[in-house]
Amino acid sequence: MAVSLGTLRLWDSVLELTKKSQDKGSDPMIWAIHLSSQLNSAGVSLPSPELANLLVSHICWDNNNPISWKFLEKALIFNIVPPLLVLALLSTRVIPMRHTQPAAFRLYMELLKRHAFKLKPHVEFKNYEVIMNSIDIVLNLSQIFGTKVNDPGSVLLEFIVAVVWQLVEAALGDEGLLELTKERTHIWNVPQDMEIEDSGGYGGKRNEILQSRNTVMAVELIGLFLQSKITSRILLLARRNMPTHWRSLIQDIEVLAVNSSALRNSKVMTPETLLQLISDDHKVAPEGKKANYLQEIHTIMSSSAGISHKVSGSSLWIPIDLALEDAMDGSQVDTTSAIEIITRHVKALQALHGSSWHECFLGLWMAALRLVQRERDPIEGPMPRLDTRLCMLLSITTLVVSDLIEDEESLSQNNINCQITQTCKENRRMELVSSLQSLGDYQSLLTPPQAVIAAANQAAARAMTIISGINVGSSAYFDLVNMKDIAAGNLHHLIVEACIARNLLDTSAYYWPGYATDRINQIPHGVPAQVPGWSTFMKGAPLTPVMTNALVSEPASSLAELEKVFEIAVNGSDDDKIAAATILCGASLIRGWNVQEHSVYFITRLLSPPLPANYSGNDSHLIAYAPMLNVLLVGIAPIDCVQIFSLHGLVPHLAGSLMPICEVFGSCVPNISWTLTTGEEISAYAVFSNAFALLLKLWRFNHPPLEYGVGDVPPVGSQLTPEYLLLMRNSQLVSSGSLYEDRNRRRLSAVAKASCPNPIFVDSFPKLKVWYRQHQACLASTLSGLVHSPVHQIVDSLLNMMFRKINRNQLLNSVSGSSCSSGPGSDDTSLWPKLPAWDILEAVPFVVDAALTACAHGRLSPRELCTGLKDLADFLPASLAIIVSYFSAEVSRGVWKPVFMNGSDWPSPAANLSNVEEHIKNILAATNVNVPRLFAGISSPFTLPLPLAAFVSVTITYKLDKASQRFLDLAGPALESLAAGCPWPCMPIVASLWTQKAKKWSDFLVFSASRTVFLHDNDAVYQLLKSCFTATLGLNNSLVSTHGGVGALLGHGFGSNFYGEISPVAPGFLYLRVYRSIRDIMFLREDIISLLIQCVKDIASSGATTPKGKQETKYGQLSLATSLTKVKLAAQLAASILWISGGQGLVQSLINETLPSWFISAHREETGGPVSMLSGYALGYFTVLCGAFAWGVDSSTSASKWRPRFLGSHMDFLASALNGKITLGCDPITWHSYVTGFLNLMLGCMADWVVEVDVEVLKRLSKGLRQWNEDELALKLLESGGVGTMGAAAELIAQTDS
C-alpha cells in the first residue's frame, strides 16, 4: 500500500510541476530537465508508460493549448515518455475529434511523421516489452487482429497497420466515402470517452480550411507509410501473414485512391502512385551494398540467367529427361503416377530456374520427344517398347500440362483482384500455345516412328479438312483413304490433337502458320458412306464380330465412345461383355492417347464388376464374369500395358481388383469351365493363373523383405508388397478436397471409389494371405513341417503325376518318405489332382524341393527334373511363380552344389559365351568402366548353382508365343535378378543359354548381362557415375561429345551397329537400367557428393586467375557465370541421380545424416578461395533440388508431409553450427557459401518450406547469420517464417534503420 500511495504522490507532484510550469510559461526544456530529474530520483524507469498516459490525459482536452503540446514534444525528444505509446494514446483521442480539434489532429500527424518512421530507438528501450504491451491494451490490437502470437514485435507490426488504417478511415470519413467501402467489422476512430464538443480552437472558415489540409496530409502520410523503407517492409509482413485484414485495408485504400479529391489535390502523392504502392507487383528493394565476389555469386545463383548462360536449352531439363527415361524400365512398376512425378519435377525446375511457363512447357515437350526418338532403332526383347514411350508423350505429358494449367487457374480464383485472376488464366494458356507453336521448329524431334506414321498423317489430314471447310461426317474417310495422298503428319500434329482432346487448345490451332501444309478441295470418290467403326457404333450398330474387330483395331476418339463400351461390358449379354472387354484392351488402350486415362480407368473398374441387382447365389458373383475377366487379364498382361497402368498411377488399384479375383478363382474346383463363342474353353485355373501372374508383376515377389526398408525413413528401392499396395490404394480413397490437392490425386480417388468405395486389406483374402505368409517363410528359411500334414498327400499326388514315367518307388522313397507306388502311367492331364489352385500352390514348394533334392542325389536326371517342372507349370501356370520364388530363396542360401553346364546333363553355354563376354566388355568400355578382375577370363568347366541351372533350363523350354509370354515376363526379371546375385560369371552363362534359345533377343540379353557387373563391384558403379558427370559436363572425355548435355548423357537408347551388334549405350542410359539391381544403395550418397565436389574442381581447373573487375569477373578461362552454370548443371545431375536411385528415403537420409557428417568431417583436399565457394553453392543447390524432387515445392502431394521433419532437422543442424554448438571440419568458405546458397535458394524458390520450420530454429538461424553480417538474409528468413517469426522480423526491420 505504501508503494501505491508513493506512486500516486509521485504522479500528483509531476502533474503539479507541469501545471505550474504551464501557468508560468516556463521553457519546455527546463520543464523536461526538472521532470527527468524528479523521475530518476524516484527510481522510475524511462521512458515511462505511466507518464505518457498522464500527459495525454492532461492535454485531452482540458489543457489543449500550445504550451502543453510543447511540453509533450520535449518529453518525446528526451525519451521521458515512449513515443509509440504516446501516438497510440493520441490516436484514440485526437482522430475521433479531428473535426472539432483540427489543430490537435494536425499536431498528432506532425508527431507521427517525426516518430513513427524511426523505429530503431523504440525497440532498444529497456522496457520495450512493457511499452508494447501497453500499446496492445490501448488499441486493443490482439482482439482486433486475432493473432495467436502476441510478442512485442508482432504488436509493433500491428501498431503500424493500425496507424495506417486509422488514417485511411479518417480520410474516407472526411470525404464521405465510408459508405463506398464494404461492411466494416471494426471501426477505428470511435471516441473512447465523453469528449467535449469544442474547446476553443479554430472556428468557421479557418476551421474548414485546416480540416481540408489535414485530410490531404493524412493521405500523404498513408503514402509515406507505404513508401518508407522501414514501414513499407513491415506492412509487407502484414500482407503476408494477415491476409484477411490486409485485404480489407487494401480495399479501403483502393476506394480512397479512386474517389479522393484530397489525393488529387496533393502535390506529393497521386492516385496512380498510391495504387502502385498497394499492388501485387510492388516490391520493397533491400538496401544496396557494394558488390564483391561473394555477392556476385549470390546474384548469379538466385537469377534465372545463371543456369541458362552458355548452356543449351535441353540441359536445363536433364532431370525431366532422366525421369522420363527411368519410367521406361519395365523391370519394376511404380505405385506413384508418372503424372505426379513429372509435375513435381517441372514445378521444382521452374521455381529454381525462374523460367517462364513457355520455357517449361517447351522443355517438357522436347524431353518427351527425345524419349520417343530414343526408341527409333530398338532392339528386340521383353521390355517396354514404343507404345509406352508414346503414352508418356501424348497422354502423360499432356495430362501434366493440363494439371499445371488447372492448378494455377484454381489457385488464382482466390486472388484479390478479379482482373489479375483472368490474366493468370490467359497467360498460362497462352504460354502453352506459344510453346507448341515454337515446337514446330524442331523438325528432327518431330519425325514420327514408323508405327505411328498413319496416325500422324490422320491428325494432319483432320486439320486440313477443317481449314478447307470440308465436312467429313464419318471417320470412315480417315480409315480408308491413304493419308499420304492427303497430308504428311508428324508428332507435332499428334501432340496438338492430344491437347485439343483435353480442352487445352481449340481447333484454331489448325490455322497456325505452317501447321497445315495445304488445303483439300474435295473428298476422293469411292469412300463408302457406312463402314464398321466408332461412328456407326455410336449410331446404334450392334457389336458383331466385324464391328468388334474394327473397334479393337481403331482407338476411340472420345470419352463418350468409351462410356458406351463400358456400359455394354457391365449390362450387356455375355457375348457383348466379352466383345466390350476386348475393345477396351485393344487400340484404345495402346494407341488411344487422347482418351488413354479413361481406358485404363474403365478396365480397372471392370476388373471389379458390380454385384448384379438380382444376384442370389452363394458363390461369388465374379464367377459369372469369368469369360470377360479373362479377356481383360490376358489383354493387359503385355509389358507395355502393365507399364501404361503404372504410368497412370493405377498399380495400387489394379492390385485391389486382382486380389478378389485370385481369392475367388483360386478357391474354385477346377471342373468349372466356360466355353467362349470362338469355341475356346477356359478353366478356373486359367483365370486364376492369369490374375495371379499379373498380381505378382506388381511387386518384386521373389525378393526377401529385408530389401524393403532402410532405417526410420520410407522404404528405399523396392517397397512393393501386397500390404503396401493396398495401403496406397486405400489412401487414395480419401480426397481432402483441398484447393492445394493435385488434380491427379483427385482422379485416382474417383477411380478407387468407383471400383470399391471401402478400404481393402489382405485379411479380406484368407487364401491369399495364407499363401503370402508361406511365401515369406519360404524366402526366409528352409522348408519344414510337411510330414503328416494335410499337404502331404497333395505333394505325393503331384510328384506321381510329374514323374509318372520313372521308377516311382526309388524316387518317391527318397523324396517324400512315401512308399506309394500306385498311380497312372498315362499322359492324360485329366488324372492330375482336382483341387483348388490355392491348395496346389501350397504344395508346390515342397514338390520342387523334393524334385531338386532327388536331382542333387542323382535319383532324377536334369532333363526329367525340367520336364516334370514344366508339366507342373503347364497344369497350373500360376505354379511357375512358386517355382521362381523357391529357386530364388534356395540360391541365396548357397547350400546347393554347383552343376556342370557341359551340354550333356545340363545345356552348355560354350557356343557363344566368349561372344557374350566380348560384347559386355564393349558396353562397359564405352562408359569408361573398367573391372579387370571380372574379365580375367571365363574358363571351362562352366558351372551354375543347381537351383539356378534348373530355373534357366525350365524357362528355355517355353515357346516364345503370346500365351507363354505373360509367364515369361514374370520369370524373366526373377531369373536375371537371381543370376546377377550369383558369383560371376553366372549371368553371362545364363545370357549365353538364352541367346541360343532366342537369337532375336541376343542384344537385350547381352545388355542385361552387362548390367550385373555393377552388382559385383561398387567401384564399377562409381566409375559409371563419374562417366555420367563427365559426359554431361563435357569434361575431358574423348569418348563423348565435348559439348556434353542430355545427348551425351542418354545418347540414343538401344541400337545396333553396321554389323548387327548392339551399339554402345550412353552412361546415363546404362545407369538407369542398372541401379534397381544395386542391393545397397546407401553408399551412393557419399559417392555422389564426392563426384559433385570433384566436378566443381574440374570446372574451375581451366585456370587459377583471381577475379578481376565487377563486370567481367573471370576465373581461369571461364567467366564466373559460366562456371557457376556448369556447377548448377552438375548439381542438377547429382540430385536427379540420387532421387531416381533411392527416392524419398535416400534423399532424407542424405539430408539427415550424410550432409551433416560431411560438414563435420575434415577433408584433405581443401583448395580455398573461389573453388571452395563454388563447392558450397553446388552442395546448396544439390540439397534444395533433392528436397524439391522428394517433397515437392508445395503441399499438394502426400510426400510433402515428410518435409517438416527432415527439413527442420537439417535447419536445426545449420543453426547449431552457426551458433558454435557444433564444430565443423570442412573449409569455412565452403560452409559459408553452402549455408547462404541453400537459404537463398530456399527463400527465393521454395518459400513455402520456411513456414514449416520451427520458429525457434529460424530465430537461431537468423541470429547466426547476423553474426556473419548476412543481415539481409537473416531478415528474409524471418520474413518468410510466417506468423511465428513475424514479430522478430518486424523488430529486425526496425533495427536496420540507420
Side-chain angles (χ1 to χ4, degrees):
M1 182 63 72
V3 175
S4 298
L5 289 172
T7 303
L8 289 172
R9 291 193 186 104
L10 171 64
W11 298 125
D12 287 343
S13 65
V14 167
L15 193 57
E16 185 179 349
L17 171 65
T18 303
K19 287 180 179 179
K20 285 182 180 179
S21 300
Q22 182 179 315
D23 293 341
K24 291 179 182 179
S26 301
D27 186 341
M29 175 83 73
I30 303 299
W31 169 82
I33 292 171
H34 285 309
L35 178 60
S36 179
S37 176
Q38 184 177 353
L39 292 175
N40 284 330
S41 300
V44 176
S45 177
L46 299 181
S48 169
E50 294 84 355
L51 181 60
N53 271 294
L54 182 71
L55 292 180
V56 171
S57 298
H58 174 71
I59 292 175
C60 302
W61 292 101
D62 294 338
N63 296 279
N64 180 24
N65 50 58
I67 189 69
S68 297
W69 283 95
K70 288 180 180 179
F71 283 171
L72 179 61
E73 183 187 16
K74 289 301 178 186
L76 290 168
I77 291 173
F78 285 101
N79 287 332
I80 301 173
V81 291
L84 298 186
L85 178 57
V86 169
L87 292 173
L89 291 164
L90 287 174
S91 71
T92 62
R93 297 168 183 247
V94 173
I95 298 179
M97 302 301 295
R98 63 190 180 281
H99 295 147
T100 57
Q101 302 292 337
F105 184 41
R106 184 73 171 198
L107 290 170
Y108 161 74
M109 289 191 289
E110 290 292 347
L111 292 176
L112 199 60
K113 189 182 290 187
R114 292 182 188 180
H115 297 282
F117 296 96
K118 300 288 185 181
L119 300 176
K120 185 176 182 180
H122 306 312
V123 299
E124 293 177 347
F125 289 142
K126 291 181 180 179
N127 56 348
Y128 164 63
E129 285 194 37
V130 175
I131 294 168
M132 289 296 113
N133 186 54
S134 300
I135 292 174
D136 185 21
I137 294 170
V138 168
L139 296 178
N140 200 21
L141 297 175
S142 298
Q143 185 173 344
I144 291 170
F145 291 111
T147 50
K148 297 178 181 178
V149 180
N150 199 29
D151 58 287
S154 297
V155 176
L156 176 64
L157 179 145
E158 292 166 354
F159 167 73
I160 297 296
V161 175
V163 168
V164 174
W165 214 331
Q166 286 172 325
L167 293 172
V168 170
E169 194 175 278
L172 289 170
D174 291 346
E175 301 198 67
L177 300 175
L178 278 174
E179 62 184 19
L180 298 180
T181 62
K182 293 186 177 181
E183 185 178 348
R184 316 180 74 75
T185 57
H186 176 76
I187 299 175
W188 288 98
N189 303 321
V190 178
Q192 293 188 346
D193 45 34
M194 295 294 291
E195 308 284 10
I196 58 172
E197 288 298 318
D198 197 348
S199 60
Y202 302 101
K205 184 95 174 161
R206 189 177 178 190
N207 197 347
E208 292 179 8
I209 293 172
L210 186 54
Q211 286 183 30
S212 178
R213 290 177 178 173
N214 282 350
T215 304
V216 173
M217 185 176 181
V219 172
E220 290 174 351
L221 267 176
I222 294 166
L224 192 58
F225 272 103
L226 292 167
Q227 282 178 318
S228 167
K229 185 186 73 174
I230 303 301
T231 54
S232 63
R233 197 154 185 178
I234 290 177
L235 289 171
L236 185 61
L237 269 179
R239 173 180 171 178
R240 285 178 174 172
N241 298 295
M242 301 159 59
T244 303
H245 294 96
W246 178 260
R247 193 176 298 118
S248 300
L249 173 59
I250 291 303
Q251 287 168 349
D252 285 355
I253 295 177
E254 285 175 341
V255 171
L256 190 66
V258 172
N259 301 285
S260 172
S261 58
L263 183 58
R264 288 191 292 273
N265 293 332
S266 172
K267 295 180 181 179
V268 298
M269 183 62 57
T270 64
E272 294 76 18
T273 303
L274 189 59
L275 286 172
Q276 177 60 31
L277 289 172
I278 61 172
S279 71
D280 290 341
D281 297 331
H282 180 63
K283 304 288 185 185
V284 180
E287 188 174 2
K289 294 182 180 180
K290 186 176 180 180
N292 59 30
Y293 188 66
L294 175 62
Q295 286 153 4
E296 185 173 355
I297 290 189
H298 268 299
T299 303
I300 299 171
M301 193 74 185
S302 58
S303 71
S304 59
I307 188 66
S308 58
H309 185 78
K310 290 188 180 180
V311 170
S312 65
S314 62
S315 296
L316 289 171
W317 312 104
I318 275 181
I320 293 179
D321 281 277
L322 287 168
L324 294 177
E325 187 60 57
D326 178 55
M328 296 301 103
D329 187 354
S331 64
Q332 183 180 327
V333 296
D334 201 331
T335 56
T336 305
S337 162
I339 300 167
E340 179 182 328
I341 294 171
I342 303 305
T343 301
R344 200 185 303 171
H345 276 62
V346 172
K347 286 182 176 180
L349 294 173
Q350 192 275 335
L352 280 170
H353 295 166
S355 307
S356 68
W357 282 104
H358 166 91
E359 294 169 320
C360 286
F361 290 145
L362 184 60
L364 177 59
W365 290 122
M366 291 178 69
L369 284 167
R370 285 192 290 270
L371 179 78
V372 172
Q373 296 301 337
R374 278 193 288 274
E375 184 70 9
R376 178 160 295 282
D377 187 22
I379 61 175
E380 291 285 339
M383 59 185 181
R385 305 299 298 276
L386 181 63
D387 290 327
T388 307
R389 294 174 183 266
L390 288 169
C391 165
M392 185 66 87
L393 170 67
L394 299 173
S395 183
I396 300 299
T397 303
T398 313
L399 288 170
V400 168
V401 172
S402 176
D403 288 357
L404 287 169
I405 289 177
E406 182 171 300
D407 182 36
E408 186 181 57
E409 291 179 357
S410 59
L411 288 177
S412 64
Q413 292 172 3
N414 284 349
N415 277 4
I416 299 170
N417 194 324
C418 295
Q419 186 63 39
I420 292 174
T421 302
Q422 187 59 35
T423 304
C424 285
K425 289 184 180 181
E426 292 173 358
N427 281 350
R428 185 65 67 85
R429 288 188 178 271
M430 291 306 296
E431 297 281 319
L432 171 63
V433 170
S434 66
S435 72
L436 287 173
Q437 289 173 332
S438 300
L439 193 62
D441 298 334
Y442 299 91
Q443 288 300 318
S444 61
L445 285 176
L446 296 171
T447 305
Q450 186 68 33
V452 292
I453 288 177
N457 291 344
Q458 184 174 322
R462 183 177 291 106
M464 291 173 61
T465 58
I466 295 295
I467 64 173
S468 302
I470 296 176
N471 182 17
V472 176
S474 169
S475 63
Y477 172 68
F478 293 112
D479 295 340
L480 297 181
V481 175
N482 186 342
M483 293 303 153
K484 276 193 173 180
D485 297 337
I486 300 176
N490 58 27
L491 293 176
H492 193 207
H493 296 96
L494 293 175
I495 291 172
V496 169
E497 287 299 321
C499 290
I500 291 174
R502 293 175 175 88
N503 298 317
L504 298 175
L505 300 173
D506 55 33
T507 53
S508 63
Y510 296 156
Y511 297 89
W512 292 347
Y515 183 78
T517 55
D518 205 348
R519 290 175 178 265
I520 302 173
N521 295 323
Q522 63 180 9
I523 299 177
H525 298 291
V527 178
Q530 292 290 331
V531 294
W534 285 103
S535 56
T536 52
F537 170 68
M538 293 302 287
K539 291 176 182 177
L543 282 179
T544 62
V546 174
M547 174 66 76
T548 300
N549 290 335
L551 301 187
V552 167
S553 60
E554 184 68 22
S557 59
S558 69
L559 174 59
E561 293 170 347
L562 289 179
E563 285 176 332
K564 184 171 182 180
V565 175
F566 177 75
E567 187 66 25
I568 292 173
V570 173
N571 299 316
S573 65
D574 290 345
D575 290 345
D576 282 350
K577 282 183 170 69
I578 295 173
T582 307
I583 292 167
L584 286 175
C585 295
S588 295
L589 171 62
I590 299 298
R591 290 186 286 112
W593 306 296
N594 299 347
V595 292
Q596 196 170 54
E597 66 271 29
H598 303 297
S599 296
V600 292
Y601 297 161
F602 283 137
I603 290 172
T604 305
R605 289 176 61 185
L606 276 183
L607 287 170
S608 300
L611 185 71
N614 56 352
Y615 188 78
S616 59
N618 294 324
D619 295 328
S620 169
H621 71 287
L622 293 177
I623 294 176
Y625 287 99
M628 181 192 76
L629 292 175
N630 195 64
V631 168
L632 294 170
L633 294 170
V634 172
I636 65 175
I639 291 179
D640 275 303
C641 294
V642 174
Q643 208 66 15
I644 288 170
F645 274 82
S646 175
L647 295 180
H648 283 280
L650 287 177
V651 166
H653 303 75
L654 199 55
S657 298
L658 292 172
M659 287 182 191
I661 297 174
C662 291
E663 184 73 16
V664 169
F665 288 93
S667 303
C668 289
V669 290
N671 54 9
I672 301 178
S673 62
W674 300 266
T675 302
L676 307 182
T677 52
T678 59
E680 179 187 358
E681 185 174 312
I682 59 170
S683 66
Y685 279 178
V687 179
F688 170 78
S689 294
N690 290 327
F692 191 63
L694 188 55
L695 176 63
L696 294 189
K697 288 178 187 177
L698 305 185
W699 85 89
R700 300 176 80 175
F701 71 99
N702 60 306
H703 285 234
L706 196 60
E707 296 182 20
Y708 296 159
V710 176
D712 61 346
V713 295
V716 171
S718 173
Q719 69 239 34
L720 307 184
T721 63
E723 296 95 339
Y724 182 80
L725 290 171
L726 291 182
L727 179 66
M728 291 291 292
R729 184 256 173 208
N730 294 339
S731 70
Q732 291 171 351
L733 280 174
V734 183
S735 176
S736 67
S738 165
L739 186 67
Y740 299 98
E741 183 179 44
D742 67 290
R743 187 179 170 204
N744 181 61
R745 183 174 175 83
R746 293 198 296 270
R747 280 196 298 265
L748 294 176
S749 177
V751 176
K753 291 174 181 176
S755 298
C756 178
N758 300 315
I760 302 174
F761 303 98
V762 174
D763 290 342
S764 306
F765 314 108
K767 295 288 188 180
L768 175 65
K769 182 180 178 181
V770 167
W771 166 80
Y772 182 57
R773 296 294 175 245
Q774 183 198 35
H775 166 70
Q776 289 181 307
C778 175
L779 290 175
S781 61
T782 55
L783 294 173
S784 61
L786 174 63
V787 179
H788 306 305
S789 73
V791 185
H792 181 97
Q793 291 184 344
I794 302 175
V795 172
D796 277 350
S797 178
L798 291 174
L799 287 169
N800 281 326
M801 292 307 303
M802 291 166 60
F803 307 112
R804 53 190 173 274
K805 294 181 179 179
I806 308 169
N807 184 341
R808 273 183 301 283
N809 285 334
Q810 181 183 6
L811 173 65
L812 296 181
N813 284 336
S814 305
V815 171
S816 64
S818 170
S819 60
C820 175
S821 60
S822 62
S826 167
D827 289 342
D828 189 358
T829 55
S830 63
L831 299 177
W832 285 77
K834 305 296 184 183
L835 297 169
W838 287 122
D839 293 348
I840 301 244
L841 292 190
E842 188 179 1
V844 167
F846 300 99
V847 171
V848 181
D849 183 68
L852 203 62
T853 302
C855 184
H857 288 83
R859 298 186 180 93
L860 196 63
S861 73
R863 184 180 299 277
E864 291 166 342
L865 170 67
C866 295
T867 302
L869 293 176
K870 180 64 167 57
D871 288 346
L872 175 61
D874 289 342
F875 166 61
L876 178 61
S879 61
L880 178 63
I882 314 304
I883 296 171
V884 167
S885 64
Y886 172 83
F887 282 150
S888 300
E890 291 304 306
V891 168
S892 66
R893 281 190 258 279
V895 296
W896 299 91
K897 292 182 179 180
V899 296
F900 296 104
M901 312 302 290
N902 51 20
S904 56
D905 295 328
W906 299 94
S908 171
N912 58 348
L913 181 56
S914 60
N915 193 33
V916 168
E917 182 185 5
E918 190 62 33
H919 286 328
I920 293 174
K921 286 182 181 179
N922 293 338
I923 290 172
L924 298 180
T927 54
N928 284 338
V929 175
N930 182 25
V931 192
R933 69 179 184 83
L934 292 182
F935 295 103
I938 302 176
S939 57
S940 180
F942 313 116
T943 62
L944 290 178
L946 175 58
L948 178 57
F951 189 7
V952 68
S953 299
V954 169
T955 57
I956 61 178
T957 63
Y958 276 83
K959 294 180 180 178
L960 298 182
D961 55 17
K962 188 174 181 180
S964 299
Q965 188 64 54
R966 54 183 177 271
F967 297 103
L968 284 176
D969 290 344
L970 183 69
L975 175 61
E976 181 185 340
S977 173
L978 184 57
C982 292
W984 188 267
C986 287
M987 187 62 209
I989 292 173
V990 170
S992 300
L993 293 173
W994 253 98
T995 53
Q996 296 172 35
K997 164 75 176 181
K999 289 184 173 56
K1000 64 178 182 178
W1001 287 2
S1002 59
D1003 287 347
F1004 168 78
L1005 293 165
V1006 167
F1007 180 76
S1008 297
S1010 70
R1011 297 188 294 181
T1012 63
V1013 170
F1014 301 93
L1015 275 72
H1016 296 275
D1017 195 321
N1018 284 348
D1019 183 59
V1021 178
Y1022 182 87
Q1023 292 179 50
L1024 180 58
L1025 286 173
K1026 185 176 181 180
S1027 292
C1028 291
F1029 281 93
T1030 54
T1032 305
L1033 300 170
L1035 295 174
N1036 302 321
N1037 188 350
S1038 60
L1039 295 178
V1040 294
S1041 167
T1042 55
H1043 298 292
V1046 66
L1049 178 65
L1050 293 176
H1052 303 287
F1054 292 114
S1056 300
N1057 59 23
F1058 294 112
Y1059 305 102
E1061 300 169 340
I1062 185 171
S1063 298
V1065 294
F1069 189 89
L1070 179 58
Y1071 182 78
L1072 291 177
R1073 300 297 178 262
V1074 164
Y1075 78 86
R1076 282 183 175 86
S1077 301
I1078 301 173
R1079 288 185 172 81
D1080 179 17
I1081 62 169
M1082 304 307 284
F1083 76 92
L1084 290 177
R1085 301 170 300 178
E1086 291 80 8
D1087 282 357
I1088 289 173
I1089 291 178
S1090 172
L1091 285 167
L1092 178 57
I1093 298 301
Q1094 184 59 49
C1095 284
V1096 173
K1097 295 174 184 175
D1098 292 342
I1099 289 167
S1101 66
S1102 56
T1105 310
T1106 54
K1108 296 179 181 179
K1110 287 165 58 178
Q1111 299 301 319
E1112 296 183 0
T1113 302
K1114 296 287 183 180
Y1115 183 74
Q1117 299 169 3
L1118 300 176
S1119 71
L1120 177 62
T1122 304
S1123 296
L1124 189 58
T1125 297
K1126 282 186 170 289
V1127 166
K1128 292 170 80 171
L1129 188 56
Q1132 272 194 178
L1133 178 61
S1136 298
I1137 290 175
L1138 188 92
W1139 156 251
I1140 286 173
S1141 301
Q1144 188 178 331
L1146 196 61
V1147 168
Q1148 289 170 177
S1149 65
L1150 168 91
I1151 292 173
N1152 209 33
E1153 302 166 10
T1154 310
L1155 283 172
S1157 175
W1158 192 89
F1159 286 116
I1160 290 170
S1161 304
H1163 303 282
R1164 295 178 182 176
E1165 301 175 3
E1166 299 291 358
T1167 55
V1171 174
S1172 295
M1173 198 177 299
L1174 286 171
S1175 297
Y1177 275 114
L1179 288 172
Y1181 193 90
F1182 164 66
T1183 305
V1184 172
L1185 195 54
C1186 280
F1189 290 161
W1191 307 315
V1193 300
D1194 50 33
S1195 300
S1196 61
T1197 62
S1198 58
S1200 62
K1201 68 183 179 183
W1202 292 92
R1203 188 168 56 220
R1205 173 182 170 187
F1206 289 94
L1207 178 64
S1209 172
H1210 191 62
M1211 297 282 272
D1212 183 66
F1213 166 74
L1214 299 184
S1216 298
L1218 278 175
N1219 291 293
K1221 294 182 179 179
I1222 296 176
T1223 303
L1224 301 176
C1226 67
D1227 188 323
I1229 298 175
T1230 301
W1231 169 246
H1232 186 283
S1233 59
Y1234 172 77
V1235 173
T1236 53
F1238 174 78
L1239 293 178
N1240 268 314
L1241 283 169
M1242 189 170 67
L1243 291 168
C1245 309
M1246 313 287 170
D1248 289 349
W1249 292 10
V1250 187
V1251 184
E1252 299 171 347
V1253 180
D1254 181 73
V1255 169
E1256 294 306 315
V1257 171
L1258 292 177
K1259 290 179 179 178
R1260 287 164 49 212
L1261 257 177
S1262 177
K1263 177 183 176 183
L1265 290 169
R1266 292 198 298 276
Q1267 293 171 359
W1268 276 355
N1269 295 321
E1270 292 282 354
D1271 294 340
E1272 184 62 31
L1273 182 56
L1275 179 53
K1276 284 182 180 178
L1277 190 66
L1278 294 177
E1279 286 178 329
S1280 303
V1283 176
T1285 58
M1286 178 176 70
E1291 290 172 355
L1292 190 54
I1293 291 170
Q1295 289 170 338
T1296 60
D1297 187 10
S1298 54

